[in-house]
Amino acid sequence: MFYHAYEHYLESAFPYDELRPLTCDGQDTWGSFSLTLIDALDTLLILGNVSEFQRVVNVLQEGVDFDIDVNASVFETNIRVVGGLLSAHLLSKKAGVEVEAGWPCSGPLLRMAEEAARKLLPAFQTPTGMPYGTVNLLHGVNPGETPVTCTAGIGTFIVEFATLSHLTGDPVFEDVARKALKALWKNRSDIGLVGNHIDVVTAKWVAQDAGIGAGVDSYFEYLVKGAILLQDKELMAMFLEYDKAIKNYTKFDDWYLWVQMYKGTVSMPVFQSLEAYWPGLQSLIGDVDNAMRTFLNYYTVWKQFGGLPEFYNIPQGYTVDKREGYPLRPELIESAMYLYRATRDPTLLELGRDAVESIEKISKVDCGFATIKDLRDHRLDNRMESFFLAETVKYLYLLFDPDNFIHNDGSVFDVVITPYGECVLNAGGYVFNTEAHPIDPAALHCCRKRKEEQWEVEDLMREFYSLKKNKKFTLKRASEHGEEESATGPRDASSEKGGEKRSSKKSSHSLLSCPSQSFNSKLAVLGQVFLDNT
């Protein structure tokens, strides 16, 4: 399926963004970046095609230019272009690309990702920190640009932007992404819900429907994935608060409806196909039973139509007028992949098989796979979205390939030497961005000096000695010249003497032998000596 679509894109549509499969030509949709090529790049590696991955990396380096007078979606450019380039950058060594010295903290794909992301930064210059939805890649935000942006278009940056900040050392990306996330949190309703569209200048909600689907979806997804990627308890706490409100006000019989964000009254009793990511997200926080029940509801809709209609009226059990299409979206398959990793339930493989059969039977045409315009009569539309190769085929493949490197449990890994020391990569635990571009979380620890470590240790020491606020202690660190440096101020002669006495007392047995030792002796094994002045 992948190659039928990919090869026809190359033959008929490249360098345009997308393939038009009914007329066998191409069109630009989200900018003019050869988008399908960027989006499909990491899928090539997941399928094991290193030679084509290497060829495409060279093509993109030569052919993609972001200095163009084009109005681009800030959200779509981030998830597809920045996300796709970051993922390919981090996977390039695995794909046999000759990486430059300093990788993964430098490299041509990383520079391209950074350049694309910098073009998006002007959108964040608003009084609230929430970004505009569209930016001109050459001129910034257009003077007449609407200030109304959807919630997902504000809260779907932390995965890509934090990764960029950690790899490049420039904090601006993570900072703007966090500020936008927090602005949404601050503007939630009294009952804990967010609406669909907000004015980024005034912070007034324009569309007040609250739910888990279109316009909101990936905001919730990125709170969880950002929390996992960055080990950030605050982001997870935000999500768990939202999760409570969502269960309280929008959940009925394992379906999720749309409600008014201030009152909690039902506004639309519909299921949208974009909501099908939710069971996968629930599985990531360990809520597997609820996830399976909701997944099975969604799967009944798939079986009814051979795909998920964009909108499905739950009480009537049928499609909604003008929303009968299925553009080959990945969300239900994505949830099946996550849930299969968690449960090994064969029902999930049956959904995978049904998806393959439906897509092959209904949407396959001579030049690729076409969007299904109407699931009732299987009419087709002349479009193949880039997410078909980035996400739909990838999640299907990963569902049926339990031994793929993406599913690595940490039993194998690579060690690379960076300018900042040794670094472990490719050990698994990949975090997929919302366009299914996998980010290696270990890479975020490769490119920074260990400034934080001394403060982490200081916190440990505080706990260990239960220091009262009025007591001070000095944190000593061995410098490169063998002298001791104080991390918290001028040297204290008395504490140094005390330290000498204590270390001579302890020297009677090896630091690594069994007798119980004081905390500072254990840390001295690491070549660092910590002394308190008690």
Side-chain angles (χ1 to χ4, degrees):
M1 287 167 75
F2 176 84
Y3 288 114
H4 178 67
Y6 178 74
E7 282 161 6
H8 279 103
Y9 166 75
L10 290 180
E11 277 170 33
S12 307
F14 178 78
Y16 291 104
D17 280 340
E18 287 179 0
L19 170 67
R20 297 204 307 167
L22 301 184
T23 48
C24 299
D25 56 12
Q27 64 178 351
D28 279 338
T29 48
W30 295 114
S32 186
F33 312 118
S34 304
L35 190 61
T36 297
L37 205 56
I38 296 175
D39 243 358
L41 184 48
D42 51 29
T43 312
L44 283 165
L45 184 61
I46 285 169
L47 270 55
N49 192 337
V50 292
S51 57
E52 181 63 4
F53 183 101
Q54 292 167 14
R55 187 189 75 81
V56 172
V57 166
N58 291 329
V59 169
L60 291 176
Q61 279 172 241
E62 289 160 18
V64 175
D65 180 15
F66 299 115
D67 280 320
I68 47 176
D69 189 0
V70 160
N71 296 325
S73 161
V74 180
F75 169 84
E76 298 289 355
T77 305
N78 175 54
I79 67 169
R80 301 185 194 218
V81 179
V82 179
L85 291 169
L86 279 175
S87 174
H89 163 71
L90 291 174
L91 292 170
S92 52
K93 190 165 199 232
K94 187 170 191 64
V97 174
E98 268 194 48
V99 295
E100 62 185 51
W103 181 91
C105 313
S106 67
L109 295 177
L110 179 61
R111 287 188 286 275
M112 286 171 73
E114 184 181 2
E115 187 193 347
R118 281 204 192 280
K119 297 287 189 180
L120 306 180
L121 288 179
F124 290 83
Q125 288 167 3
T126 64
T128 61
M130 295 187 278
Y132 284 95
T134 305
V135 72
N136 183 285
L137 298 181
L138 213 50
H139 309 299
V141 178
N142 290 321
E145 187 56 53
T146 174
V148 177
T149 308
C150 72
T151 303
I154 293 163
T156 310
F157 294 93
I158 191 70
V159 169
E160 299 82 1
F161 277 29
T163 301
L164 257 183
S165 283
H166 282 250
L167 294 179
T168 63
D170 187 340
V172 66
F173 302 107
E174 184 173 347
D175 290 348
V176 298
R178 280 188 184 276
K179 192 176 176 191
L181 282 179
K182 285 180 181 166
L184 285 171
W185 173 250
K186 198 176 95 189
N187 286 293
R188 71 195 187 284
S189 72
D190 290 344
I191 59 172
L193 296 170
V194 287
N196 212 281
H197 283 75
I198 194 170
D199 186 311
V200 300
V201 175
T202 64
K204 293 279 178 287
W205 288 101
V206 177
Q208 298 182 355
D209 294 303
I212 59 170
V216 189
D217 47 9
S218 48
Y219 169 44
F220 295 139
E221 181 188 346
Y222 271 40
L223 288 175
V224 172
K225 289 179 174 178
I228 294 168
L229 186 69
L230 302 166
Q231 295 293 295
D232 187 309
K233 288 178 183 158
E234 187 188 8
L235 296 182
M236 189 60 87
M238 285 183 196
F239 175 76
L240 294 173
E241 277 299 304
Y242 280 130
D243 194 35
K244 270 187 223 159
I246 287 161
K247 283 188 167 117
N248 274 344
Y249 293 101
T250 77
K251 188 178 182 185
F252 296 88
D253 289 340
D254 299 308
W255 294 96
Y256 293 84
L257 314 182
W258 288 83
V259 302
Q260 212 283 341
M261 67 178 284
Y262 293 105
K263 300 180 198 144
T265 50
V266 174
S267 58
M268 287 191 299
V270 298
F271 157 59
Q272 302 176 344
S273 68
L274 283 167
E275 294 168 19
Y277 78 98
W278 189 256
L281 193 63
Q282 287 178 298
S283 81
L284 280 182
I285 61 163
D287 195 359
V288 175
D289 293 342
N290 279 317
M292 273 306 286
R293 285 199 293 275
T294 295
F295 175 87
L296 292 171
N297 277 351
Y298 297 170
Y299 186 20
T300 59
V301 179
W302 181 288
K303 287 194 271 207
Q304 188 178 344
F305 295 100
L308 288 186
E310 293 287 65
F311 283 37
Y312 177 82
N313 185 308
I314 297 164
Q316 291 175 3
Y318 208 64
T319 56
V320 173
D321 191 41
K322 305 259 188 320
R323 293 284 189 277
E324 306 91 351
Y326 172 56
L328 311 181
R329 288 196 189 281
E331 283 76 15
L332 191 63
I333 300 157
E334 171 188 354
S335 284
M337 185 210 69
Y338 281 117
L339 282 167
Y340 187 68
R341 302 300 304 163
T343 67
R344 295 293 194 265
D345 185 327
T347 312
L348 299 154
L349 297 180
E350 287 166 23
L351 174 272
R353 178 202 60 204
D354 290 353
V356 170
E357 288 176 357
S358 286
I359 293 168
E360 280 276 307
K361 185 177 170 205
I362 304 170
S363 90
K364 188 175 187 178
V365 294
D366 288 346
C367 276
F369 291 88
T371 286
I372 301 168
K373 192 175 192 169
D374 192 328
L375 278 165
R376 297 168 305 176
D377 59 14
H378 295 172
R379 277 181 299 145
L380 300 177
D381 215 353
N382 194 17
R383 187 169 186 193
M384 186 182 82
E385 295 240 28
S386 71
F387 59 64
F388 178 67
L389 294 181
E391 301 185 76
T392 311
V393 174
K394 183 185 287 155
Y395 285 132
L396 273 172
Y397 193 85
L398 289 172
L399 173 63
F400 290 114
D401 183 11
D403 302 320
N404 198 278
F405 76 85
I406 288 287
H407 298 314
N408 183 4
D409 61 3
S411 52
V412 292
F413 53 87
D414 300 321
V415 177
V416 283
I417 308 299
T418 76
Y420 306 100
E422 271 192 0
C423 155
V424 170
L425 285 177
N426 302 324
Y430 293 93
V431 175
F432 286 100
N433 88 334
T434 196
E435 190 79 1
H437 295 305
I439 302 292
D440 185 343
L444 274 65
H445 303 278
C446 287
C447 304
R448 55 179 186 194
K449 296 192 176 76
R450 301 277 182 252
K451 288 187 203 106
E452 317 82 23
E453 279 186 5
Q454 63 202 54
W455 307 120
E456 282 172 21
V457 172
E458 185 177 340
D459 289 341
L460 276 173
M461 298 270 295
R462 274 187 212 286
E463 274 177 46
F464 191 83
Y465 287 112
S466 308
L467 288 176
K468 294 185 180 120
K469 280 180 188 168
N470 58 354
K471 283 193 183 174
K472 288 182 182 168
F473 69 95
T474 310
L475 175 60
K476 302 276 181 175
R477 180 164 59 76
S479 80
E480 289 168 330
H481 306 295
E483 299 164 0
E484 285 185 348
E485 296 171 350
S486 164
T488 56
R491 297 184 168 200
D492 179 333
S494 64
S495 74
E496 273 190 44
K497 280 176 196 152
E500 280 162 24
K501 278 181 208 154
R502 203 179 302 104
S503 58
S504 63
K505 235 186 275 175
K506 292 289 172 200
S507 61
S508 57
H509 56 72
S510 154
L511 284 173
L512 293 175
S513 65
C514 291
S516 178
Q517 299 157 345
S518 69
F519 188 60
N520 58 359
S521 300
K522 288 179 184 170
L523 286 176
V525 175
L526 305 175
Q528 296 180 314
V529 184
F530 300 86
L531 305 160
D532 65 339
N533 58 3
T534 50

